[in-house]
Amino acid sequence: MLDKEVGGRAPRAKDGGQTPRVDGPPLADTPEARGLTPTSTTIRFTVNGEPVAVSTDPFASLANTLRDRLGLTGTKIGCDAGDCGACTVLIDGRQACACLTSTGQAEGAEICTVEGSGPDGLTERLRRAFLAHGAAQCGICTPGMLMAAVDCLSRTQAPTRAEVEDALGGVLCRCTGYIKIVEAVLEVAGGVRPCGSDPRAQQRSERGVRPAGSDPFVGARLARVDGWAKVTGADKFGADEAPDGALHMRVVRSPHARATFALGDLDAVVARTPGLAAILTHRDIPGENSFGVFAHTRDQPVLAECHVRFRGEAVLALVGTREAVEALSDADLPVTWTVETPLIGVETAVAPGAPAVHAGKPDNVLAQGFLQCGDVDAARPAAAAIAEGRFETAFVEHAYIEPEAGYAQLCGDKVEVACCTQAPYMDREETARVLGVEPAKVRIKPTACGGGFGGKLDVSVQPLLAVAAQVTGKPVRIVYTRTESMASTTKRHPAKLWARACADAQGRLVSYELEGDFNTGAYASWGPTVAGRVPVHGSGPYKVPNVRNRARAIYTNETPAGAFRGFGVPQAAIAHETLLDDLAGQLSLDRWHIRRINAIGNGDTTPSGQRIDHSAGLPQCLDSLKADWDAALHRVAAFNDSCESAGGRRRRGVGIGCMWYGCGNTSVANPSTMRVTLGRDGRLTFYNGAVDIGQGSSTVLLQIAADALGLAPERFDMVVGDTDLTFDAGKTSASRQTYVSGNAARLAGADLRAKILMLANAGSNAALSLDGTRLTIADGEASRTVDLATLPADAQGMVLEGLGTWDPPATALDAHGQGSPYGTYGFAAQMAEVEVDMRLGTVKVLSIVAAHDVGRAVNPALTEGQIHGGIAQGLGLALMEEYLPGRTENLHDYLIPTVGDMPDIKIHLIEDAEPTGPFGAKGVGEPALIATPPAILGAIRHATGVTVRQVPVLPHRLWAALRGARPLAQTDRQKSDVGGEGSDPAPREGAS
Ligand code: FES
Ligand code: FES
């Protein structure tokens, strides 16, 4: 029996009521503010069959009791408000949110968590199925999903897909698109053993010998190497552990979007508050009080200095016991505010006379990007068709289920920071600058990362934790609340775009122009990257001889916008794909056809002047969709005819979107270095600095390294992301890890292989095998065995090492955006079929068919998972996601797709091998999302006649537009726009 000490603790602050305005109340909430007074009592229940008695505040949430008092951190907390389902456990056999259940309510109950085996071993069977299907990506939702699935299968013997989806409906997943989760549950429901029913055993099977000249691991659907920890709840995320005695930190944030402030006597607050160790201000920052992505744009203070630029900006940090920092209300702190009128929206920020957000940028323009080729003005008059329009997109929240969290502690003369991150080396640099020390004095130890999607590229908790640990001399931890996470971290840039496309009579693009303003919010973050990437990609994956694209990143007093899966390219894709549909309509061309005749292919030249004489599989992607496209057109026509004749209110449509995306950072060096060592004990260790944020890089890079070396993946130990132990692999972003770090892993494996072969004087096709410390090199008839234990080793016991460094071939862009900004590009074409309720303005996406050129699918299961997840996020961007500061700062008001929102998805993997890629591979992370929104918008237009130029297409927006447009036959469309100006007739299909 576990019987924990008495020690009542107040429940964690929950998301408070949201106030629908930019200036709002304090972002913190406290037990006292909610009238709660902690008391303790002993509560008895069973957990996974074990009786426990816990002395605690009966109002403490069951989630906190399980995690903090019983050490069962497999139960995750994503929102603490009943919205995300990450905390789902079984209470007397029924799924329930442990964050909404008081510990007192659990008295006498049987609690089942992810750590248990579940009724009849159901959890165990589901675990294996999840692994075999690739149903866990980052894994933060996985415990909740497993518990919901156990609930479903223990009550329903042979559930339908709808029943499974219903059971999982309360658990949000931001990574997977739910498809593989549902498949895994259905497989267990059907009693079918998942292929390779024990994926660990599957990996450890007969793969110890590498057949010469083959690549057996690249291309295999291996279960993810970090998967078992995710499906057992053993994986440690940022909030899951901290050193004993760690103090807690709570950040006090600005309730105003633009204000100056003065601080009163904070020492007096510390003196009168038991348990409060310190209140940190900007004066406590020992080094530079700033952070950012680029050396010239480090404009965000760690703690504001008398002036705040957005609601949610960090002003103070309270450090002390958890009770102390949570009990102290923001209203108790002596901060005097002088509120100023904020700049909201890019038009306000660039209007004449607008005040500057930053002193050095009087026009509020952070950065501009430009690309020009040919002469658009000369080409336009001869065009047979001209389409133009304005487009608008919203702030989009990453909504990873794991809020930012971590801890810092002093270790000798170093500060060690453990946190969820996408960029450990950048964290190290920024933290060291803030501390005023050399980077070598900071160690970043990435925890498991519960989703990132670009949002965990910028530092968040890291510098403040380090400062707090240094000031107090004690370990300090922090877990952002959901509201705090959403209010203070970066978003997708809202964009206002104008674009014009011209085509000849055959539909061939002759020119394209784009002007885009991207709202970068109060601080620079990745604004320069967006401004640079958009002009390159702005005209889409098409052959266009005359292009003039310009993009600006503009400061406002809104939440900083940063990196989010695509760096502005998804916004630009909405414009170019809508205009392509417009042109098709004007020229009576099929929408598939106009894309096919314009698609960039091998040997073509991009608008930046880069000749693509390597992988360019868009034509193949489109060809793979053609049969689906034709069938869908006939299907929706038949549906609409029958619906119309029956007086129905539903109409269906089909749309298509294409995309391209340069893999890696734009026009700059972004190398990666990997290391593989062989020890005297026969252990191989893969030192991999690329953080796996759920996409599967740890598995994919290991597959590549294993193939290059010629020994099986299960022989390797993994060290991932630790800045003291691994080399810099660059950031996990820009779809670069498979392509860039994959090459580094390939080179490291090959380097070690070459050294091993040299030991035996063996030829390059020799086969390696490892049995304990005995390494055998078989070269044809000859075979030599080396006992590694007899070889000289370094202090760590290493006898041989392989190193690999690779930097993608990219060149700088000139003033006209000419050059080769990327080593390669990912391409995709997706089609969507939707059903619109013409009375309500609601849209249901019925199906997506996605064709992606990935060069080589190193692990097809993981590749498919990336595409599923990208489609889910694209669907959210198109139809439901709109972050409004002060209004949608929680997962109740900010909606992301649930399992019930997901369409059927069919994937065509196109493998147009990239010569510079590892085994031909390219990236797929961002490409997975970009084509989805325009495909959905095209389908809505096809169904309704309404041209949508503003996302998200919320029901009230479409409803209003439909009131101005009668539902028309597919060949007789009426002009109508949502959120934009001007429209052209919708295309007639079947012309090709
Ligand atoms: S943590 Fe309980 S529902 Fe989100
Ligand atoms: S795997 Fe579901 S949130 Fe990441």
Side-chain angles (χ1 to χ4, degrees):
M1 172 186 287
L2 297 169
D3 194 352
K4 300 292 178 178
E5 61 179 337
V6 174
R9 184 189 52 69
R12 282 188 61 212
K14 294 180 179 175
D15 291 347
Q18 303 307 307
T19 305
R21 57 190 183 198
V22 172
D23 282 343
L27 291 162
D29 194 8
T30 66
E32 280 71 11
R34 300 194 303 279
L36 301 178
T37 305
T39 55
S40 289
T41 189
T42 299
I43 297 161
R44 298 172 196 280
F45 49 93
T46 66
V47 180
N48 300 325
E50 288 283 320
V52 298
V54 188
S55 295
T56 189
D57 171 13
F59 291 105
S61 79
L62 179 61
N64 280 328
T65 297
L66 290 169
R67 290 172 55 82
D68 301 342
R69 307 302 306 283
L70 301 178
L72 297 172
T73 55
T75 297
K76 306 300 181 188
I77 296 177
C79 68
D80 219 6
D83 296 322
C84 75
C87 63
T88 300
V89 298
L90 300 185
I91 301 179
D92 293 332
R94 294 297 173 115
Q95 60 172 299
C97 284
C99 75
L100 290 185
T101 305
S102 71
T103 307
Q105 286 176 292
E107 175 74 44
E110 287 183 29
I111 311 295
C112 176
T113 73
V114 70
E115 287 90 352
S117 58
D120 302 323
L122 205 42
T123 309
E124 183 70 10
R125 281 186 283 149
L126 281 161
R127 278 184 191 125
R128 295 177 183 209
F130 268 49
L131 273 184
H133 282 268
Q137 289 189 19
C138 81
I140 193 79
C141 74
T142 304
M145 284 291 181
L146 285 166
M147 292 299 97
V150 170
D151 175 41
C152 173
L153 297 186
S154 58
R155 285 188 288 113
T156 313
Q157 284 218 323
T160 62
R161 176 176 284 265
E163 286 171 324
V164 169
E165 290 179 358
D166 207 32
L168 303 181
V171 187
L172 294 176
C173 176
R174 192 56 158 168
C175 302
T176 64
Y178 305 98
I179 307 295
K180 289 182 181 293
I181 294 172
V182 172
E183 285 172 358
V185 177
L186 284 171
E187 191 160 61
V188 174
V192 180
R193 286 174 71 82
C195 60
S197 59
D198 183 348
R200 294 170 300 169
Q202 180 190 356
Q203 285 187 17
R204 293 178 177 134
S205 61
E206 311 303 317
R207 314 299 291 272
V209 179
R210 175 184 189 261
S214 68
D215 50 359
F217 307 117
V218 168
R221 290 176 178 264
L222 293 188
R224 53 183 312 138
V225 294
D226 51 358
W228 193 248
K230 296 183 188 300
V231 296
T232 55
D235 218 4
K236 297 300 181 194
F237 293 84
D240 288 343
E241 59 185 359
D244 287 344
L247 297 173
H248 289 252
M249 183 162 69
R250 180 172 81 76
V251 181
V252 177
R253 299 184 177 279
S254 168
H256 306 292
R258 184 183 179 104
T260 58
F261 65 91
L263 298 175
D265 187 355
L266 296 173
D267 291 341
V269 178
V270 176
R272 70 170 179 257
T273 308
L276 191 63
I279 300 178
L280 305 181
T281 75
H282 68 90
R283 288 187 289 268
D284 293 299
I285 306 294
E288 294 177 38
N289 182 24
S290 66
F291 65 89
V293 175
F294 304 101
H296 64 292
T297 60
R298 287 184 171 122
D299 57 6
Q300 183 160 0
V302 178
L303 290 170
E305 300 179 20
C306 310
H307 179 201
V308 291
R309 297 180 175 88
F310 74 99
R311 180 179 187 274
E313 181 159 356
V315 175
L316 302 170
L318 312 181
V319 187
T321 64
R322 183 168 181 170
E323 291 78 7
V325 301
E326 289 186 350
L328 197 57
S329 161
D330 288 6
D332 296 334
L333 297 164
V335 185
T336 307
W337 295 98
T338 303
V339 179
E340 300 173 355
T341 304
L343 297 177
I344 304 300
V346 292
E347 293 93 344
T348 311
V350 297
V357 177
H358 292 273
K361 295 285 182 184
D363 58 358
N364 288 321
V365 176
L366 160 67
Q368 302 197 47
F370 181 65
L371 180 146
Q372 179 170 287
C373 68
D375 186 340
V376 292
D377 298 320
R380 193 183 316 116
I386 300 175
E388 70 177 279
R390 295 190 183 278
F391 303 85
E392 183 173 349
T393 72
F395 273 119
V396 183
E397 156 68 18
H398 301 85
Y400 27 75
I401 304 302
E402 180 205 24
E404 293 74 2
Y407 68 83
Q409 62 181 342
L410 305 181
C411 296
D413 64 346
K414 282 193 176 188
V415 179
E416 197 173 280
V417 182
C419 59
C420 50
T421 178
Q422 294 181 239
Y425 270 83
M426 192 171 90
D427 292 354
R428 188 177 79 152
E429 251 182 63
E430 293 301 282
T431 302
R433 268 193 335 97
V434 169
L435 290 177
V437 300
E438 289 299 308
K441 298 295 182 193
V442 175
R443 178 181 189 178
I444 303 292
K445 292 169 67 176
T447 62
C449 185
F453 320 114
K456 290 174 183 169
L457 278 174
D458 301 64
V459 295
S460 56
V461 300
Q462 298 88 330
L464 255 184
L465 280 171
V467 171
Q470 199 165 72
V471 167
T472 63
K474 295 190 173 158
V476 179
R477 71 185 303 187
I478 191 170
V479 183
Y480 277 3
T481 65
R482 171 54 55 182
T483 299
E484 181 177 27
S485 170
M486 293 178 74
S488 67
T489 61
T490 60
K491 307 281 168 278
R492 181 184 297 288
H493 285 71
K496 297 235 168 147
L497 307 167
W498 168 87
R500 177 161 57 197
C502 300
D504 66 16
Q506 287 72 47
R508 290 190 175 81
L509 287 165
V510 295
S511 70
Y512 194 90
E513 298 156 81
L514 171 75
E515 298 281 342
D517 280 345
F518 291 78
N519 182 347
T520 206
Y523 295 106
S525 182
W526 293 86
T529 302
V530 168
R533 194 176 265 268
V534 166
V536 174
H537 292 81
S539 49
Y542 305 115
K543 295 169 280 191
V544 197
N546 304 288
V547 176
R548 187 170 61 215
N549 292 337
R550 192 188 315 269
R552 302 191 297 179
I554 294 170
Y555 284 123
T556 64
N557 287 120
E558 296 179 79
T559 315
F564 189 170
R565 217 166 182 172
F567 290 102
V569 178
Q571 295 94 310
I574 288 171
H576 63 65
E577 291 307 287
T578 302
L579 295 185
L580 219 58
D581 283 354
D582 288 348
L583 292 173
Q586 291 181 40
L587 297 167
S588 297
L589 295 174
D590 177 279
R591 289 170 286 164
W592 177 92
H593 175 77
I594 196 169
R595 287 169 170 82
R596 182 64 178 84
I597 62 172
N598 285 293
I600 284 178
N602 191 294
D604 290 327
T605 300
T606 71
S608 78
Q610 182 173 6
R611 183 180 151 85
I612 309 241
D613 50 6
H614 40 82
S615 169
L618 183 58
Q620 300 94 305
C621 288
L622 282 163
D623 290 347
S624 75
L625 288 188
K626 186 64 166 76
D628 295 299
W629 176 250
D630 290 340
L633 286 174
H634 285 109
R635 191 167 53 242
V636 300
F639 176 89
N640 291 339
D641 284 348
S642 67
C643 202
E644 200 165 305
S645 58
R649 66 197 228 188
R650 297 179 191 279
R651 291 188 63 81
R652 290 186 178 177
V654 58
I656 186 168
C658 293
M659 61 70 58
W660 65 328
Y661 190 81
C663 299
N665 301 137
T666 308
S667 290
V668 294
N670 57 123
S672 172
T673 298
M674 295 277 154
R675 177 176 182 240
V676 181
T677 64
L678 182 57
R680 285 182 101 172
D681 56 0
R683 287 308 307 178
L684 281 162
T685 305
F686 183 28
Y687 293 91
N688 164 13
V691 175
D692 191 331
I693 59 173
Q695 86 281 28
S697 60
S698 290
T699 308
V700 163
L701 298 179
L702 179 61
Q703 287 178 258
I704 292 169
D707 263 358
L709 171 60
L711 287 167
E714 70 269 17
R715 303 307 307 248
F716 289 74
D717 289 333
M718 296 278 285
V719 176
V720 180
D722 186 326
T723 56
D724 266 16
L725 301 177
T726 64
F727 288 105
D728 188 359
K731 304 161 191 73
T732 296
S733 71
S735 300
R736 61 179 293 284
Q737 292 297 19
T738 296
Y739 177 54
V740 181
S741 290
N743 266 319
R746 174 181 60 81
L747 291 169
D751 186 35
L752 180 57
R753 178 178 176 82
K755 289 170 180 166
I756 290 172
L757 297 183
M758 206 178 299
L759 272 182
N761 201 23
S764 61
N765 285 333
L768 310 183
S769 61
L770 196 52
D771 181 10
T773 65
R774 294 169 62 78
L775 174 66
T776 300
I777 305 111
D779 188 8
E781 298 295 302
S783 175
R784 180 176 169 199
T785 297
V786 179
D787 186 354
L788 296 169
T790 65
L791 296 183
D794 72 3
Q796 281 75 46
M798 180 192 75
V799 295
L800 288 172
E801 76 170 345
L803 285 173
T805 296
W806 198 76
D807 196 12
T811 65
L813 296 172
D814 68 14
H816 285 155
Q818 297 300 294
S820 298
Y822 309 102
T824 191
Y825 296 80
F827 294 89
Q830 293 186 4
M831 50 173 279
E833 190 173 336
V834 306
E835 183 173 292
V836 179
D837 185 316
M838 301 294 284
R839 284 193 204 152
L840 297 178
T842 54
V843 177
K844 171 73 179 167
V845 182
L846 302 173
S847 69
I848 299 271
V849 186
H852 282 257
D853 169 24
V854 299
R856 177 80 188 273
V858 177
N859 186 321
L862 299 181
T863 307
E864 291 160 1
Q866 284 295 288
I867 295 170
H868 290 156
I871 287 170
Q873 290 184 356
L875 187 153
L877 189 162
L879 297 181
M880 60 182 72
E881 298 190 36
E882 184 167 26
Y883 174 78
L884 301 169
R887 292 175 59 184
T888 59
E889 293 168 344
N890 56 68
L891 294 174
H892 184 75
D893 296 308
Y894 186 89
L895 300 180
I896 65 172
T898 69
V899 65
D901 295 309
M902 289 305 294
D904 292 335
I905 296 177
K906 176 176 163 185
I907 293 173
H908 299 284
L909 287 182
I910 305 300
E911 295 186 307
D912 188 13
E914 167 54 48
T916 64
F919 298 95
K922 307 189 284 190
V924 73
E926 352 258 318
L929 174 149
I930 297 168
T932 308
I936 291 173
L937 302 192
I940 293 171
R941 176 186 190 175
H942 188 227
T944 66
V946 169
T947 304
V948 179
R949 297 179 194 266
Q950 180 182 4
V951 292
V953 190
L954 298 173
H956 73 274
R957 289 184 180 138
L958 186 54
W959 183 89
L962 287 168
R963 301 284 78 75
R966 64 188 171 88
L968 300 168
Q970 288 167 31
T971 53
D972 176 22
R973 297 293 164 77
Q974 178 177 326
K975 292 181 181 181
S976 179
D977 270 14
V978 176
E981 62 176 26
S983 174
D984 299 295
R988 285 175 52 209
E989 310 296 352
S992 64

